[in-house]
Amino acid sequence: MNADTSHPDTSHPAATHDADSAQAMMSVRGVTLAFGPKVIQHDISFDVKRGSIFAVMGGSGCGKSTLLKSMIGLLRPTQGEYLVGTDNYWAGTDEDRVRIGRRFGVLFQSGALWSSMTVGQNVALPMQMFTSLRPHVIRQLVELKLGLVGMLHAIDQFPSELSGGMKKRAGLARAMSLDPDILFFDEPSAGLDPITSARLDELILNLRDGLGATIVLVSHELSSLFAIADDGIFLDPESKTAIAHGSPTWMRDHCDNPMVHAFMHRERTDSSSHGDK
């Protein structure tokens, strides 16, 4: 393609939730991700504001999930740093990282529920592992978390008895079990029908608005991105860096980068017409 991707488009006011005064829950500074000599993304910098729903966007193979894995501590960056509040995640000890990591809740793409445990047992597990709460208190908290996502009725069911949307909601309840500061979602709408996906979007908005949750999500589902995300970055697989920063709706309506415009309007680019993915 002939797009000029040398300068990210960051000229707009990013988030819509008092971004200028909001405290950054996480700051990514100069991050480069690589596997050996193969660079996935380089020079990535952005802030995730408190109460924001921040989207990591881009086409298939651009490194979205790799960035998410690095943000939650599963992949050390080649360069750069992740600041969680004032804590530098990779600069401390293993003990420091465990402490910081307890401020994260993660919803994996498949839900990642333990098949041999009931829904309630899955949600209870982090509390049993990382707190000294008594069993009856844990049970009450499990019921509360499942009630928040509309899954209290399934507390004694096994994952094999759940639909795809129910597994996502159960996984979300487990992600919230330790009251994390930041929730990370990897393709939350993947594999869901449009109605179930829209209901999950509504649930995510309710969690943000009702609980003040800060959310980072990886997605390429445009309907969900436009419905819920108020800030984000767009990763380019060719220049291997972020080429736009802002809300999905801002990118759709105002960003003139050809790659971003094509993605937001479901158009083919020069590279995609030749089979690039």
Side-chain angles (χ1 to χ4, degrees):
M1 72 182 260
N2 297 320
D4 179 6
T5 58
S6 58
H7 298 287
D9 193 338
T10 58
S11 59
H12 76 299
T16 59
H17 293 275
D18 299 322
D20 291 338
S21 59
Q23 177 184 352
M25 290 294 293
M26 174 177 273
S27 296
V28 178
R29 294 287 177 264
V31 163
T32 292
L33 302 170
F35 296 106
K38 182 179 181 181
V39 174
I40 307 301
Q41 287 285 323
H42 66 87
D43 298 314
I44 302 296
S45 296
F46 58 87
D47 291 329
V48 178
K49 302 294 186 182
R50 184 184 299 275
S52 177
I53 299 179
F54 188 98
V56 180
M57 297 166 278
S60 298
C62 68
K64 300 185 300 294
S65 292
T66 302
L67 177 58
L68 185 74
K69 289 177 182 177
S70 187
M71 292 177 72
I72 63 176
L74 297 181
L75 177 65
R76 183 187 287 269
T78 305
Q79 292 180 344
E81 60 186 17
Y82 298 100
L83 301 176
V84 184
T86 58
D87 293 320
N88 187 329
Y89 184 86
W90 289 108
T93 64
D94 289 343
E95 189 175 85
D96 291 332
R97 284 189 283 277
V98 170
R99 174 181 54 82
I100 297 170
R102 287 183 58 182
R103 299 172 63 182
F104 302 159
V106 183
L107 173 61
F108 295 99
Q109 188 172 145
S110 63
L113 300 173
W114 292 98
S115 61
S116 61
M117 294 181 174
T118 65
V119 168
Q121 290 169 338
N122 268 279
V123 178
L125 185 60
M127 302 182 211
Q128 294 166 343
M129 293 178 63
F130 297 109
T131 76
S132 57
L133 295 173
R134 296 188 176 186
H136 74 279
V137 176
I138 290 178
R139 176 73 181 193
Q140 292 172 348
L141 290 172
V142 167
E143 292 174 354
L144 173 63
K145 305 301 183 184
L146 288 173
L148 288 173
V149 300
M151 285 289 290
L152 182 56
H153 66 281
I155 191 170
D156 294 319
Q157 291 182 278
F158 287 90
S160 60
E161 302 175 79
L162 307 181
S163 67
M166 293 172 72
K167 289 178 181 176
K168 291 289 178 77
R169 284 187 284 153
L172 179 53
R174 186 180 61 187
M176 297 190 300
S177 63
L178 296 178
D179 296 321
D181 293 331
I182 310 176
L183 288 165
F184 295 88
F185 301 158
D186 186 11
E187 298 284 6
S189 299
L192 302 181
D193 64 79
I195 294 176
T196 303
S197 178
R199 288 173 178 165
L200 184 61
D201 290 343
E202 183 178 0
L203 174 59
I204 292 171
L205 284 173
N206 288 339
L207 292 174
R208 194 276 307 277
D209 296 338
L211 302 178
T214 300
I215 297 166
V216 176
L217 63 90
V218 164
S219 182
H220 62 268
E221 297 287 344
L222 291 180
S223 59
S224 292
L225 290 170
F226 296 145
I228 66 176
D230 54 41
D231 198 4
I233 57 169
F234 191 95
L235 303 182
D236 177 30
E238 295 188 4
S239 60
K240 300 186 184 300
T241 194
I243 57 174
H245 182 181
S247 71
T249 53
W250 182 89
M251 291 188 193
R252 178 193 64 195
D253 298 338
H254 302 290
C255 184
D256 58 5
N257 182 285
M259 176 71 77
V260 177
H261 185 276
F263 181 91
M264 293 298 172
H265 293 270
R266 296 188 183 277
E267 298 173 353
R268 293 172 66 88
T269 63
D270 291 341
S271 60
S272 66
S273 66
H274 287 85
D276 279 0
K277 295 181 181 179

